Amino acid sequence: MTGTGRSGTGSAARQFTPCAVVPIYNHGRSIAATANALAAHGLPVIIVDDGSNAETRTILDALVAGRDDLRLIRLPVNGGKGKALTAGFLAAFEAGYSHVLQIDADGQHDTADAPRFLAEGRAAPEAMVCGRPVYDDSVPKARLYGRYLTHACVWAETLSFDIQDSMCGYRLYPLAATRAEIARKPLPARMDFDTEIAVRLFWRGVPVRNVPTRVIYPENGLSHFRMWRDNARISAMHTRLLLGMLPRAPGLVLRRFRRKDTACAA
């Protein structure tokens, strides 16, 4: 699997060479369908095995064998979704890709929407393209309504409604800005990763585009969300981000006014 045109300045910054990164922890039953569907869209796929069990490791080894469009990175122990994604992002950057399409391995996300994310990224290479979930009746109501508390916190942390859903794990990242943010300060290792990286990239000045996308909760699906543990992490994250917003507030407000002035001038 190869890539060209690392993000940077000049002509390199205008190149759009995406790949997909899929973190996996024991989702052996659904990974082949997800990876093969992404590859069918012309995306090289980096699968990051976050310390899965022996059965899943066997499935992954068979899946990538003899494939140039699939690459497997194996972490020795389970470190969490955020740690797996960070490893995948850094590997993608070193391979020369300009953007990463992040998608979960559990079959929740509609891989048919991948071209829509890529089209938005191609039109605005500097932007982070966030999935905005469109749920069916399979979504647990507690999870659905609980998301609105995080939405409100993120709107306060960014002084903006630009990020319509910060918890969706279906997202396209500009790698140069993402790698720079990882280098500036490590990102959370677990379920609080998705929200924190979105807020921090917004603070960094990365513009946001939102794409509505169907999200399902498969019957008998495997979820690694742990209500008490992960909600405690999310609460701590929002406290940290709200405090981080305070010194940035003048700049965030100024950015909003500049955008309004630009829109009026246009």
Side-chain angles (χ1 to χ4, degrees), residues 3 6 46 71 87-98 175 179:
R6 178 178 299 170
I46 299 175
R71 173 183 172 187
F89 290 174
L90 295 178
F93 184 85
E94 290 304 316
Y97 294 103
S98 66
L175 264 180
R179 180 184 179 278

Side-chain angles (χ1 to χ4, degrees), residues 26-48:
N26 294 340
H27 288 107
R29 292 183 299 175
S30 55
I31 183 60
T34 298
N36 287 329
L38 293 169
H41 290 302
L43 277 171
V45 181
I46 299 175
I47 302 169
V48 185

Side-chain angles (χ1 to χ4, degrees), residues 19-21 38 43 99-103 114 117-118 170-172:
C19 71
V21 169
L38 293 169
L43 277 171
H99 290 72
V100 157
L101 181 69
Q102 169 193 336
I103 186 170
F117 284 84
L118 298 177
Y170 201 178
R171 190 178 291 166
L172 182 74

Side-chain angles (χ1 to χ4, degrees), residues 164-211:
Q164 295 177 5
D165 190 298
S166 69
M167 300 182 75
C168 182
Y170 201 178
R171 190 178 291 166
L172 182 74
Y173 296 92
L175 264 180
T178 303
R179 180 184 179 278
E181 188 58 31
I182 291 171
R184 185 187 70 83
K185 182 180 179 182
L187 286 153
R190 296 196 176 269
M191 293 293 187
D192 41 354
F193 174 92
D194 290 328
T195 296
E196 180 154 333
I197 191 172
V199 170
R200 284 170 50 180
L201 287 176
F202 182 89
W203 284 351
R204 196 175 185 88
V206 173
V208 179
R209 293 193 172 197
N210 297 280
V211 172

